[in-house]
Amino acid sequence: MDVDEVIDELYGLRPSEFTAARDAYVAQARKAKDAAGAKRIAALRRPTLPAWASNHLVRTRPAEAEQLLALGRALREAHRTLDPHQLRQLSRQQHRLIATLVQDAVALAAQAGQPVGGSALDEIGQILRSVLADPDVAEEWAKGRLVKPPEATVGFTAALTPDEVPPRTSPKRQEATEPPRQSPPPAGTKPSRHAAQQRERLEAARSAAAESDAEARRLEAGLQEVRSLHDAAEARAAAAADRAAALAVQLRAARDDEREARTEARHTGTAAREADRAAHAARRAADKAGQALKRLEPEPPAE
């Protein structure tokens, strides 16, 4: 038994089909004396509905999935280098692509006989945003084997380690904030009190400049995180608006069905009452005809 093929097959099934199929494969592996394979398969967990929908999207639309993976690589690089132009451009692409892929995932799930709605839509969006921010999630998602939505990633700064974020101080800024270095006094020369004070002021200025630069970088990182949170909130708002629009369409259709059903009920009610009156009239006529027939029939002869 090829366990990897079995795992791939299981995560392509709908959640309602997963457990029975998994247990059947476990029994098959045990029957074949494949204890290691049986243990691996038995450890598999049924995917949640949002995870399954995102897996199904990967398997059904590989080209669109690769677009998201490529966008994630570009976004992570732009956040690492703090390229503002790339960040603005890629962020716009991010919102459009995620909104499109969430809609595609819902449509594909419905076609597969597994409707998706409610909070599951938000969780699908969370999965796609995590794919953009976290390379490990992206790798697992690309296999189509996610079990549940990963923990929400707070912006892209949370996905980067501190040493991956380069300092944003330019040479010009350093020249503006850092006092010029002075050459040390010649060997054997006793420094004057004025020179000692000047060196102290110089060291204090350097320390203050370093602290200011560190504070500026911290605030810039915080700003980027707030922007990422804002972008995520906008994406959730857009997804909610899409759901509201879809529900409004369903509500209008349901009201139309209700009006048609009530109209049909009125017509059939009228027809039922008329049929009831006709049936009563026919029964009375039949009773009268039976009585008339009975009067006309000759009496049996006396013995």
Side-chain angles (χ1 to χ4, degrees):
M1 179 184 297
D2 189 326
V3 176
D4 285 327
E5 287 187 1
V6 169
I7 294 174
D8 192 57
E9 176 187 338
L10 288 173
Y11 282 104
L13 300 175
R14 291 182 296 180
S16 60
E17 302 167 334
F18 181 89
T19 302
R22 179 199 61 193
D23 293 347
Y25 273 119
V26 170
Q28 183 179 338
R30 288 172 177 167
K31 185 177 181 180
K33 308 299 182 183
D34 184 0
K39 184 176 181 180
R40 282 186 64 191
I41 297 171
L44 300 176
R45 293 293 172 262
R46 182 180 67 178
T48 64
L49 181 56
W52 172 83
S54 71
N55 292 339
H56 189 57
L57 174 68
V58 173
R59 294 164 180 268
T60 310
R61 299 282 178 84
E64 286 82 347
E66 179 54 36
Q67 287 182 14
L68 188 70
L69 293 170
L71 178 59
R73 291 190 290 269
L75 269 168
R76 291 193 295 274
E77 177 63 18
H79 276 273
R80 189 185 69 81
T81 59
L82 299 176
D83 184 333
H85 175 71
Q86 279 290 94
L87 285 173
R88 284 193 297 271
Q89 184 177 8
L90 294 174
S91 294
R92 288 193 292 268
Q93 294 180 26
Q94 166 192 346
H95 301 320
R96 289 195 298 268
L97 185 57
I98 285 182
T100 299
L101 291 182
V102 168
Q103 293 176 0
D104 289 348
V106 172
L108 291 170
Q111 292 173 10
Q114 185 67 68
V116 177
S119 62
L121 297 180
D122 294 332
E123 294 187 36
I124 294 173
Q126 175 186 328
I127 291 172
L128 299 182
R129 286 189 293 273
S130 297
V131 168
L132 292 176
D134 191 330
D136 293 333
V137 176
E139 182 179 358
E140 192 66 20
W141 180 73
K143 298 176 184 176
R145 298 180 182 181
L146 279 183
V147 175
K148 62 180 181 179
E151 294 297 327
T153 302
V154 182
F156 276 80
T157 53
L160 301 175
T161 57
D163 58 346
E164 289 178 314
V165 181
R168 300 187 63 177
T169 305
S170 65
K172 290 183 179 180
R173 179 176 175 181
Q174 288 179 345
E175 293 173 2
T177 59
E178 183 176 309
R181 297 179 181 271
Q182 294 184 354
S183 301
T189 303
K190 185 178 180 179
S192 65
R193 182 179 177 184
H194 174 74
Q197 291 176 344
Q198 187 175 10
R199 281 197 302 274
E200 290 177 0
R201 288 196 296 271
L202 177 61
E203 291 303 322
R206 286 174 178 166
S207 177
E211 291 178 0
S212 297
D213 186 64
E215 178 67 9
R217 279 187 287 172
R218 186 186 68 79
L219 293 175
E220 287 165 351
L223 173 61
Q224 187 59 51
E225 183 172 351
V226 170
R227 285 175 175 169
S228 297
L229 289 172
H230 171 71
D231 293 342
E234 283 190 339
R236 290 197 301 272
D242 292 339
R243 292 200 307 276
L247 290 173
V249 172
Q250 295 176 10
L251 178 60
R252 286 196 297 271
R255 286 175 173 169
D256 291 342
D257 289 344
E258 180 188 11
R259 284 193 294 270
E260 291 177 2
R262 290 188 182 281
T263 300
E264 185 176 353
R266 287 196 298 271
H267 292 164
T268 53
T270 301
R273 287 191 294 274
E274 292 176 353
D276 184 60
R277 287 195 294 270
H280 279 293
R283 172 53 54 195
R284 288 194 298 272
D287 290 343
K288 290 180 180 179
Q291 293 173 1
L293 177 62
K294 187 175 181 180
R295 287 195 299 270
L296 293 174
E297 287 180 347
E299 295 182 1
E303 295 181 357

